[in-house]
Amino acid sequence: MGRIESSVVAVIRRLIGALFSLLSLLVFVGLLLALLWSASLMGLVDTGGVDSPVVDDVVEPPDWFIDSPFVWEVPAESEGSEPPEVDSDLPPAEGDPGTTSAGDVSSEEVEAEIHEQINEIRADHGLSQLEHDDEIAVVARTHSQDMNERDYFSHTNPEGESPADRFGDLYPSECRAVGENLAYIQTGFGSGGSAEEIADRIVQGWMDSEGHRENVLREGWDSEGIGVYMADGRVDATQNFCTTT
């Protein structure tokens, strides 16, 4: 009997040991599943299995941009002047034309005034201030020169390039979304006023135009470049917007 009892006790001990081992395994598996579930919520683990698609790092414009055009064909009005016809026989402008001037007024001064006034308007509407971007300003200034020298007024140049095309490598690598406002005015410069007065006319023209106004007051922009070109009593201004977030 003693041997039988000992055997029974040994079997019971083995069963109890196996039960504890099983319970330990279940607890371990439960903890592991809980950790995986928590990690998936934090975006650390893909729990979709081996068939989950691999998503490339594609730059997409923000939601507010998708449903809105980023260019407007409505010119800023100034003294009833009509944009001239396109002279596509001339080659397109290339590179930054730099500072142009007429009389005592320089394009650099007008650009600075426009940028300041735009930020004042945005501040009045509770919007963030736009940083000035020199590289974007070169894009804008070159387009203003091209419109001036080839006698046209359009977001699309005679070669069919849009603002997004002119941004080159900046879009979409640096700017996820881009926008553009244009202005064309004529002035005799002798009585055309100061840089501030010329900027007033340009900015007021944009604010009086629904499409341009919407562009100025968009929340999504975080930087801009202003490009002004002056020649032959004509001022061409291009305002390019960018959002990097």
Side-chain angles (χ1 to χ4, degrees), residues 70-72 143 155 163 166 179-182 215 238-241:
F70 66 88
V71 295
W72 283 269
H143 186 56
H155 295 288
R166 292 192 294 274
E180 182 173 90
N181 280 346
L182 301 179
N215 233 358
T238 302
Q239 178 183 37
N240 283 132
F241 300 95

Side-chain angles (χ1 to χ4, degrees), residues 19-166:
L19 181 60
F20 275 113
S21 297
L22 180 60
L23 289 174
S24 298
L25 179 61
L26 291 175
V27 170
F28 175 77
V29 171
L31 289 174
L32 181 60
L33 291 174
L35 288 173
L36 288 173
W37 179 76
S38 299
S40 67
L41 289 180
M42 293 184 290
L44 301 176
V45 176
D46 181 6
T47 59
V50 294
D51 295 329
S52 297
V54 177
V55 180
D56 295 329
D57 187 17
V58 177
V59 177
E60 294 291 345
D63 291 340
W64 60 262
F65 175 73
I66 293 174
D67 295 328
S68 303
F70 66 88
V71 295
W72 283 269
E73 299 294 343
V74 182
E77 294 184 7
S78 63
E79 301 180 351
S81 57
E82 293 294 330
E85 297 295 326
V86 176
D87 183 358
S88 58
D89 293 334
L90 295 175
E94 295 183 3
D96 187 356
T99 302
T100 53
S101 61
D104 296 330
V105 180
S106 73
S107 59
E108 186 176 7
E109 292 173 316
V110 177
E111 289 169 358
E113 284 289 343
I114 292 173
H115 178 66
E116 182 177 348
Q117 290 186 27
I118 291 297
N119 273 333
E120 288 176 355
I121 291 171
R122 288 178 63 86
D124 290 342
H125 288 79
L127 299 172
S128 62
Q129 300 290 279
L130 300 180
E131 295 289 334
H132 179 268
D133 189 294
D134 291 333
E135 197 169 1
I136 296 175
V138 170
V139 174
R141 200 174 297 121
T142 302
H143 186 56
S144 292
Q145 177 192 20
D146 193 51
M147 289 191 297
N148 188 293
E149 293 182 345
R150 295 204 284 173
D151 286 339
Y152 73 94
F153 182 82
S154 175
H155 295 288
T156 304
N157 68 13
E159 287 71 38
E161 293 178 335
S162 70
D165 296 321
R166 292 192 294 274

